[in-house]
Amino acid sequence: MRCIVLFVMFCLLSCAVFADEERPADDGKEGSELRLVIMGPPGAGKGTQAEKISKQYGIAHISTGAILRAEVAKGSKLGHQVEETMKKGELVTDDTVLRLVEERLRDPDCRDGFILDGFPRTIAQAEGLEKILERQHRGPVSVIDLVVPDEALSKRLLARGRADDTEETIKNRIRVYHENTAPLIAYYKKRGQLIRVNGDQPIADVFSTIMSELTPPE
Ligand code: AMP
């Protein structure tokens, strides 16, 4: 009887372990997908460049800001929870965004790769992302950092006119960026994952600079 119970427990445990493995470790996919993060201050042009990169390579564009705005628009429970935080230009909790990203990365359109836009925004999120990728048997990300001076940012954001693009909120978002997100530059540089690109040029020039950095010369 004890043997049967042990056997059933073993079977259940195996099922649970394999159910969590979206990708068997040896399916050879690890190196062939493109895993990117695009970072930079608010207004640096992350969304624009991420969209172009996602089209160029046929990979999923994942914007945590867009996912959260969709939740607010739907009026979901999560939407209600994050609405005020977003209006003020503060950061939503690490746990919330990590949960959203982990789920999103399981979607079939992420199989050939993805570009994360606006995530990670804190060191805790970067560490959480590493764990997610490990759990999904994926390698590390390459990080494109768009460098744009502060003076150029407010002008760009005010021209964009999104709901959270008021002068007050913009100031706060740039402050939050320097406090919480800028430390990620050193974090990824130390790990050899950082690609710095001058984001203070016309859109097409930023894009071709990124392309040349991502495609190493023959
Ligand atoms: P974005 O579209 O990237 O500018 O994000 C808009 C707003 O969504 C931010 O000001 C934050 O309130 C929230 N948000 C988006 N991504 C994150 C993230 N990775 N961590 C925390 N909050 C986020």
Side-chain angles (χ1 to χ4, degrees):
M1 183 62 191
R2 217 161 134 207
C3 279
I4 294 171
V5 171
L6 280 174
F7 179 72
V8 170
M9 275 171 71
F10 172 78
C11 290
L12 287 173
L13 203 68
S14 311
C15 286
V17 168
F18 286 118
D20 202 35
E21 283 190 17
E22 293 79 20
R23 284 165 185 277
D26 62 351
D27 71 356
K29 267 279 178 188
E30 191 175 290
S32 64
E33 64 169 15
L34 191 57
R35 294 172 300 273
L36 298 174
V37 162
I38 189 157
M39 61 173 287
K46 298 186 292 288
T48 306
Q49 296 299 329
E51 196 53 42
K52 290 171 83 66
I53 296 165
S54 116
K55 285 217 175 83
Q56 176 78 22
Y57 291 113
I59 57 175
H61 173 194
I62 305 175
S63 154
T64 43
I67 297 174
L68 292 166
R69 275 189 292 281
E71 292 296 322
V72 173
K74 266 196 285 184
S76 68
K77 192 171 154 219
L78 174 62
H80 287 299
Q81 280 166 4
V82 298
E83 193 167 7
E84 277 310 303
T85 310
M86 292 178 74
K87 256 193 206 141
K88 284 189 271 180
E90 302 284 342
L91 294 183
V92 170
T93 64
D94 293 332
D95 282 352
T96 305
V97 281
L98 281 165
R99 192 167 42 78
L100 288 174
V101 168
E102 179 151 24
E103 267 172 34
R104 181 65 184 86
L105 285 175
R106 286 201 192 106
D107 289 345
D109 67 327
C110 296
R111 263 208 95 80
D112 291 329
F114 54 84
I115 178 158
L116 289 162
D117 156 15
F119 172 94
R121 257 173 156 101
T122 63
I123 299 276
Q125 289 180 19
E127 288 169 350
L129 175 61
E130 267 168 43
K131 294 204 184 89
I132 290 171
L133 293 173
E134 268 170 38
R135 280 198 287 276
Q136 297 188 1
H137 303 284
R138 295 171 124 144
V141 286
S142 297
V143 179
I144 302 160
D145 178 37
L146 294 180
V147 185
V148 179
D150 279 1
E151 307 82 75
L153 298 175
S154 320
K155 228 167 77 190
R156 287 191 187 189
L157 288 168
L158 282 170
R160 190 169 70 175
R162 214 170 66 190
D164 57 348
D165 284 341
T166 62
E167 226 167 314
E168 186 70 11
T169 313
I170 289 170
K171 250 198 233 151
N172 200 28
R173 280 165 51 211
I174 295 176
R175 183 190 59 76
V176 167
Y177 168 80
H178 284 296
E179 250 175 61
N180 301 287
T181 311
L184 286 174
I185 297 169
Y187 177 93
Y188 282 123
K189 190 171 176 200
K190 207 165 115 195
R191 288 164 170 72
Q193 288 169 266
L194 194 71
I195 303 166
R196 299 203 92 178
V197 170
N198 174 14
D200 198 14
Q201 348 170 40
I203 291 172
D205 295 351
V206 177
F207 183 60
S208 58
T209 313
I210 294 173
M211 284 300 107
S212 63
E213 292 285 342
L214 288 179
T215 323
E218 299 281 303

